[in-house]
């Protein structure tokens, strides 16, 4: 399994991956198909056998007064095209789950688009269950919302 490590938001490798993730989201969904990651999110990268960052993702907390206070949300899951199909996304998702669990979040949530069938397959095979849309996604028919209850360690 790939190594997953936390990185600061201004990490050079992370910055390149986040730009690529943003570009791919816009290409698939248009500019309206992307949301910003909030300050305070924790960023992680998946490393290949040479120690190069080939995937990224973030865990962001739902604020008090939001649709799901206390839960965490996966943001910016991305693996470079040349590294896809090699288990990096699954390892990264497991790392994000572990980080959310370690900080006491009872549920990990995420959104993805109908135009990302590979992401849908990953999330569903990893135990995420489709849920009712929340927040800005309520009137977004091409968006799927998912959640996974996290067990305590």
């Amino acid at each position: 399994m790939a190594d997953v490590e936390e990185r600061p938001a201004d990490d050079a490798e992370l910055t390149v991956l986040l730009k690529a993730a943003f570009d791919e989201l816009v290409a698939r969904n248009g500019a309206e198909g992307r949301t910003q990651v909030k300050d305070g999110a924790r960023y992680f990268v998946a490393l290949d056998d040479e120690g190069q960052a080939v995937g990224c993702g973030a865990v962001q907390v739902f604020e008090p007064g939001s649709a799901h206070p206390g839960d965490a949300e996966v943001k910016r899951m991305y693996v470079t095209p040349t590294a896809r199909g090699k288990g990096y996304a699954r390892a990264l998702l497991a790392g994000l789950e572990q980080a959310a669990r370690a900080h006491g979040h009872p549920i990990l949530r995420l959104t993805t688009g109908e135009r990302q069938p590979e992401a849908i397959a990953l999330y569903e095979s990893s135990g995420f269950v489709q849920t009712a849309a929340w927040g800005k996604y309520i009137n977004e028919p091409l968006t799927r919302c998912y959640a996974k209850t996290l067990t305590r360690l």
Side-chain angles (χ1 to χ4, degrees), residues 5 17 22 24 29 36 68 71 83-84 87 98 111 137:
E5 64 183 34
L17 290 167
F22 179 83
E24 186 168 316
N29 302 307
Q36 297 302 317
H68 303 288
D71 291 351
R84 292 178 186 168
Q98 181 179 9
T111 60
Y137 305 111

Side-chain angles (χ1 to χ4, degrees), residues 15-102:
T15 300
V16 170
L17 290 167
L18 288 172
K19 181 182 181 328
F22 179 83
D23 291 347
E24 186 168 316
L25 280 172
V26 170
R28 286 189 189 214
N29 302 307
E32 68 281 354
R34 49 119 178 104
T35 59
Q36 297 302 317
V37 178
K38 296 177 183 168
D39 288 341
R42 298 177 62 212
Y43 292 92
F44 295 82
V45 296
L47 304 173
D48 67 12
D49 292 336
E50 286 79 44
Q52 299 298 308
V54 295
C56 66
V59 175
Q60 153 179 304
V61 178
F62 279 90
E63 299 297 325
S66 69
H68 303 288
D71 291 351
E73 184 178 11
V74 170
K75 301 296 281 184
R76 291 298 182 272
M77 270 284 293
Y78 175 79
V79 173
T80 60
T82 57
R84 292 178 186 168
K86 299 177 181 175
Y88 296 114
R90 191 165 302 280
L92 183 58
L93 185 57
L96 297 173
E97 286 182 34
Q98 181 179 9
R101 185 180 296 111

Side-chain angles (χ1 to χ4, degrees), residues 1 7-8 17 25 32 36 38 40 46 49 52 86 99 106 108 115-116 126 128 132 136 141-142 144 146 148:
M1 183 179 271
R7 296 279 179 94
L17 290 167
L25 280 172
E32 68 281 354
Q36 297 302 317
K38 296 177 183 168
D49 292 336
Q52 299 298 308
K86 299 177 181 175
L108 185 58
R115 296 179 182 135
Q116 295 175 274
S126 297
F128 283 81
K136 72 173 239 158
L142 297 179
R144 286 193 184 184
Y146 286 89
K148 181 175 183 178

